[in-house]
Amino acid sequence: MHETERHRVILAAVQARPLATVAELVEMTGTSEATIRRDIAALHVQNRLRRVRGGAEAINPPEQGGLVGRPFSVNETINIAAKRAIARAAVELCKDGEPIIINGGTTTYQMVHHLTGRRLSVFTNSFGIAEFLIHNSRNSVVIPGGTIYREQNVILSPFGGVVASHFYAKRMFIGCQGLGQHGLMEADPMVVQSELALINQAEELIVLADSSKFNARSSLILCGLDRIHSVITDSGIRDEDRTMLEKAGIELTVVEAAEQKSQSVA
């Protein structure tokens, strides 16, 4: 991750919580502790944050708390070619007239560009996805009630979703913080709470995850591998991760980011 991107992540993190620790920022950026400390020192000198013992804090903290994890604006620039190819393959699974759920995320967001000519009923907790489809398609769009978290571009409510509980979907398309032998992982408890309500409303759970997500980890498990119907990823997936999905009985689709070709593996 380049310095500019790291600084964006760090500044977003200090706006999202009372204190962003060095350890948290190391995990978010995938860089060393020494690099993070240098970044914090530089941003402190620029008066963009306040350096404190063990981490950093915002100079003017917002009234609304944020979510754990990198902001949408940073994530959408990472592995973008793979995300576009994965999203294209995901839309190929959709049939006009079907109800689907698209969870908020930078990979799932790329689906919107291929949905402009479709006629689907789309439930989404992504403000960005909903806005794009409303202005650029004739799909029916349903959104939940709740608070818009600008950094992650999602709508979440701590009180559960009444609308979601009455929406049936053939498929739910979802991204993730990480994917491993213990299942699908997320970074924030409120995100997990929201997604748990949604995945129970769909027959098939389809995970859109570029190959880097198999290396990522989080302490919060959304669901086990047994709940996942299929995974769409890019050709950077390791053999051991292919084997893990195969043993779990998960259908795997691998796409080539450059040529946007896909190959299904039972």
Side-chain angles (χ1 to χ4, degrees):
M1 185 179 292
H2 296 298
E3 181 182 275
T4 302
E5 292 180 344
R6 291 200 311 273
H7 286 187
R8 289 171 62 189
V9 172
I10 292 169
L11 291 171
V14 299
Q15 288 293 324
R17 66 205 75 193
L19 170 67
T21 67
V22 170
E24 289 173 335
L25 296 173
V26 165
E27 183 177 354
M28 287 182 189
T29 59
T31 53
S32 68
E33 181 176 321
T35 298
I36 291 299
R37 291 189 183 279
R38 285 197 298 270
D39 287 339
I40 290 175
L43 293 169
H44 176 82
V45 171
Q46 297 169 22
N47 201 36
R48 300 173 72 186
L49 54 70
R50 184 179 294 109
R51 181 173 56 183
V52 297
R53 183 178 179 84
E57 63 183 14
I59 294 175
N60 297 301
E63 293 184 6
Q64 178 192 14
L67 301 174
V68 177
R70 287 191 295 252
F72 185 95
S73 59
V74 173
N75 271 338
E76 69 175 341
T77 64
I78 300 172
N79 300 327
I80 185 61
K83 290 177 178 180
R84 288 171 176 165
I86 290 167
R88 177 188 290 269
V91 173
E92 290 175 356
L93 299 175
C94 302
K95 298 179 181 179
D96 284 352
E98 283 185 345
I100 63 171
I101 297 172
I102 306 179
N103 198 62
T106 55
T107 307
T108 52
Y109 179 81
Q110 294 299 321
M111 294 176 65
V112 299
H113 306 293
H114 308 291
L115 289 171
T116 54
R118 297 299 191 95
R119 296 289 187 88
L120 299 160
S121 179
V122 180
F123 181 99
T124 182
N125 64 356
S126 165
F127 182 78
I129 290 174
E131 184 178 39
F132 186 96
L133 293 180
I134 288 171
H135 293 296
N136 299 282
S137 81
R138 300 188 68 180
N139 294 287
S140 170
V141 179
V142 181
I143 60 174
T147 301
I148 298 174
Y149 288 82
R150 292 180 177 85
E151 291 290 343
Q152 277 74 25
N153 206 13
V154 294
I155 306 168
L156 300 177
S157 170
F159 307 110
V162 175
V163 177
S165 66
H166 295 282
F167 191 92
Y168 154 82
K170 174 65 177 177
R171 299 177 181 88
M172 176 176 175
F173 298 92
I174 187 172
C176 62
Q177 174 76 13
L179 182 58
Q181 60 181 350
H182 297 296
L184 202 60
M185 289 168 276
E186 272 298 348
D188 190 277
M190 186 173 288
V191 173
V192 171
Q193 180 182 352
S194 172
E195 291 177 347
L196 280 174
L198 290 175
I199 64 176
N200 291 326
Q201 302 304 119
E203 287 185 24
E204 299 177 3
L205 183 63
I206 300 174
V207 178
L208 312 188
D210 68 76
S211 56
S212 70
K213 296 301 178 67
F214 290 94
N215 297 318
R217 293 293 181 267
S218 172
S219 60
L220 300 177
I221 299 174
L222 174 62
C223 67
L225 293 177
D226 58 340
R227 179 64 183 85
I228 300 172
H229 177 270
S230 59
V231 170
I232 306 176
T233 190
D234 62 83
S235 56
I237 184 174
R238 301 172 301 184
D239 290 341
E240 55 262 43
D241 296 321
R242 287 175 179 263
T243 301
M244 174 187 69
L245 298 177
E246 180 182 349
K247 288 182 177 179
I250 297 173
E251 181 180 322
L252 174 64
T253 297
V254 178
V255 300
E256 280 291 343
E259 300 177 5
Q260 296 191 341
K261 295 180 181 180
S262 64
Q263 178 183 4
S264 294
V265 181

